[in-house]
Amino acid sequence: MITSAPEQANPVGHSAGGPPAGPTPPETATAIELVRITKRFGTGSRAVAAVDDVNLVIREGEFFSLLGPSGCGKTTTLRMIGGFEQPTGGEILLHGKDVVGTPPNKRDVNMVFQSYALFPHMSVFENVAFGLRRKAVAGSEVKRRVGEMLELVQLQGKDRRRPSQLSGGQQQRVALARALINRPRALLLDEPLAALDLKLRQTMQIELKSIQREVGITFVFVTHDQNEALTMSDRLVVMNEGHIEQVGSPREMYERPRTRFVAGFIGTSNLMTRSIASMDGTTAILECGAGERFVVRDAAALGAVPGGKIDVTVRPEKITLGTEPAGGEMCSLRATVTNVVYMGAWTQYAVRLADGAELTVFIQNATNSEDAAERGAEVWLGWDPAHSLAVAPQ
Amino acid sequence: MVRRKLMGRLAPYLLVLPGWLWLVIFFVIPVIAMLSLSTQTGDLIDGFTQTFHWQNYLDGWNEYHVEFIRSVIYGAIATILCIVIGYPVAYWIAFRGGHRKSSLLFLLLLPFFVSFVIRVVSWQFMLADNGIILEPLKAIHLLPADFHILATATAVVGGLTYNFVPFMILPIYVALERIHPEVMEAAGDLYATRRAAFRRVVLPLSMPGVFAGVLLTFVPAAADYVNASILGGTDQTMIGNVIETEYFTNTNYPMASALSFILMAALLIGVFIYAKVLGTREVLDMAVA
Ligand SMILES: Nc1ncnc2c1ncn2[C@@H]1O[C@H](COP(=O)(O)OP(=O)(O)OP(=O)(O)O)[C@@H](O)[C@H]1O
Ligand SMILES: [Mg+2]
C-alpha cells in the first residue's frame, strides 16, 4: 500500500477511523435525559455508589443500549428511569419533565423485566390487556388492541394460554407485548434476551429490532453482551463501575474507543502501554527498535509528552502481515508468529513483539491464502497510523 | 437377571413401605377398630359386643346436633378471624420483614413452644372475672361489676383464634414470599395503583396459601375441646367436649366412637366440597375475571 504525505493522509485516515461523529440530525428531540444522576445503596461508611454522577441524553425514537460488565449499574440506571428506584441525587427528565419522585404508574415509560414478570395466574390475553384495563379502556377496544399486539409479536392463537404453558421465547414476547400495548413514549428492557439460548436469542435480536422500527418507540436496552449492543443499537453507552466510559454509535465505539476500558470491552483489541520518544505536533512517535515505526496521531489531547507513556490499541483486522517493513508513513513493527488459528473466512494470528507484548491479528482469507505466515515465522506488522488509537488509561 | 429386574420394579414400592406400614398401624387399624366399636352395645363392666347397632349414630346426632352445629360455627368464626388477623401479619413479614423475616417467624412461633393447655390456662387466668385485666377496669367503673368474658362464646372463639392463627399465617406467608418482586413492580409499571396491584396480582397469587390456611385452622378448631372446656361455660360445649365426656366420664365408648365418626365424616365432606368448589385454579380464574 502506498501512502502519501501525512497532511494528505489525514482525511483518508479520518474516514477509515470512523465516520464524522453524530449522524443524527439536530432536530431529533430528547426523550430521556439524566442529569448528574447518582444512586447510593446503604448508608454511612458502607454506602456504595451503584451509579455515580451520570449524564446521558437518549434521543426520541432511537434504540439505545446500556452496555457494561456485571455490577456496573445498568439495571440501577434503568430502574431509576422506570421509577422503581429513587436516585440519591440528580434529575431525570422524561420528555423535558423532571420525574424524580413520580411513581412508575404515573410515568409514560414501560418496562420489560429480566424475569419477564408475567402474571402467572392470568392468561396471555389478560397479561397483555392488564395496562389497558387499569386505564379503563373499553372492552371492545382492549380486544382489538390485544389482538393487534399479539399479531405483532407472532402469538396469535396463544391468547388463552397461561405463561407457564409458553416457551421462554414466547414468554419474552408476551412481556414485550404487555409493555408495548400501552404505547409508551419509551420502552425499558433489562437484558430481555439473557435467558434465551443462542439461536433463539439471535432470532429475537432481529425481531426486537424490527418491532422497534415498526412502532418507532424509544428503546432503552440493557445488556452485557457487546455483540448484542453493537448489532442492535443506534447508539450505546458503555458503563463501568457506575460511571460512563463513552457514548456513541456502534461504529464510533468500535473504531474510536476513547478509554482503555472501552477498547478492551468492545471487540478484540491489542492494548499496549508504550513510551513516547518524541512529539511531532499532536502526533506521538513511540520508542521502537531499528527499522520499526509506531506513531499515534492526535495523542496530545490525552496528555502525551516526550518521555511519557501512552496507552494505545490497534484493532486486529487493521493489521497486515508482511515479510518486509510496510514503509512510508505506515506503522511497522517486527514480530514473531506464536500461533495460527484458521477460522474459515479469517485466520487469527497470535504474534509477539520484540518487547514481549502479545497481539492478535486477523487476516481475511481472500485470494492469497498461500501468503499465510507459519508459526514461528518472523514477520513485519503494518497498519495505517490512523488505526493507532490512543486511549485514556482509565 | 430376572430377579434384578423384579427388584428394580419393586424398589419404589419397597421404599414407601415404611410409610404405608405407619399409616396402616396408626391410622387404618384404629379407624377400623373405632368403626367397629361405634356399632357395639354394652358397657364397660359387662363388656361391649358387636350388634351392628347403627342406631348409635342417629342417637348421637339427635342428642348432640347443637354441639355439632356450634363447633362448625365456632370453627368458622375462628377461621375467618385467623384470616383477618393472619393475612396482614403474613403480608407484613413477607414484604416488610427485610432481613428480619426469619426472626419474625420465630417470634411468631415462640409462644407455641409452651404446651397448648398451659397457653389456654394462662388466657383463663388473664380473662378471669377478677383477673389482671377485668378487675382494674371494673375498679374504675369502666365495666359493670358483673361483666365477664370467661364462659362466653367470645372467650372460646378468641382462644381458638389465638391458638390456630400461626397455621393461617405460615401458608399465607409462604405463598406471598413466592411472588417475585418484579411481578409486583410490573403491576405498578402497568398503571396499577397499590390497591389494584394488591387486588389483581398479590391477592390472587396468595389464595392458595389462604386455602391451605383455612384447612389447617378450620379442621382442628372445629374439633377442639381444650378451649371450650377451659375458657367456655356450659353453653359453649363443643362436640370435642361431648366426645371427651362420653369417653372418659360416661365410658360410653360406642357413642364416643359414633360421634367421632360423624365429626370426621362431616369434616371430610366439608373439606372435599371446599376443595371441589374452590379448587385453586378456579378461584384464581374468578379473582381475575
Ligand atoms: N438493592 C440494592 N442494595 C444494595 N446494593 C445494590 C442494590 N441493587 C444493586 N446494588 C449494587 O449496585 C451495583 C450495580 O448493580 P446493578 O444491578 O445496577 O448492576 P448491573 O449493571 O445491572 O449488573 P448485571 O449485569 O449483573 O445485572 C452492584 O454493585 C450491586 O451490588
Ligand atoms: Mg442487571
Side-chain angles (χ1 to χ4, degrees), chain A residues 6 13 25 58 92 197 218-219 233 271 274 278 324 326 368 384:
Chain A
I58 298 169
I92 298 172
D197 63 58
T218 311
F219 273 35
S233 318
L271 276 163
R274 313 261 314 193
S278 62
E324 308 274 306
N368 48 346
D384 190 301

Side-chain angles (χ1 to χ4, degrees), chain A residues 79 84 104-105 107 109-111 113-115 117-122 126 130-131 134-135 162 178-179 182, chain B residues 180 182-194 196-197 200-202 204-205 281 284-285 287-288:
Chain A
R79 287 172 59 82
F84 303 104
N105 57 358
R107 294 191 188 196
V109 296
N110 285 110
M111 181 104 159
F113 293 86
Q114 183 165 0
S115 65
L118 298 177
F119 304 123
H121 57 299
M122 295 183 194
E126 283 306 324
F130 193 89
R134 300 287 80 71
K135 285 184 156 178
R162 302 242 170 194
R178 187 179 69 170
N182 306 294
Chain B
H180 198 295
E182 284 192 347
V183 169
M184 284 182 286
E185 288 181 346
D189 188 52
L190 297 164
Y191 317 111
T193 56
R194 289 175 61 114
R200 302 289 170 179
V201 177
V202 177
L205 287 177
R281 197 61 190 267
L284 289 183
D285 283 344
V288 172

Side-chain angles (χ1 to χ4, degrees), chain A residues 6 274-289 292-300 304-310 312 329 331 333 385 388:
Chain A
R274 313 261 314 193
S275 302
I276 300 165
S278 62
M279 296 293 295
D280 175 10
T282 61
T283 301
I285 297 158
L286 308 187
E287 278 177 11
C288 287
E292 294 184 326
R293 176 178 156 80
F294 194 167
V295 301
V296 187
R297 292 192 188 135
D298 304 322
V305 286
K309 298 261 183 199
I310 188 166
V312 60
E329 280 299 310
C331 291
L333 292 179
S388 302

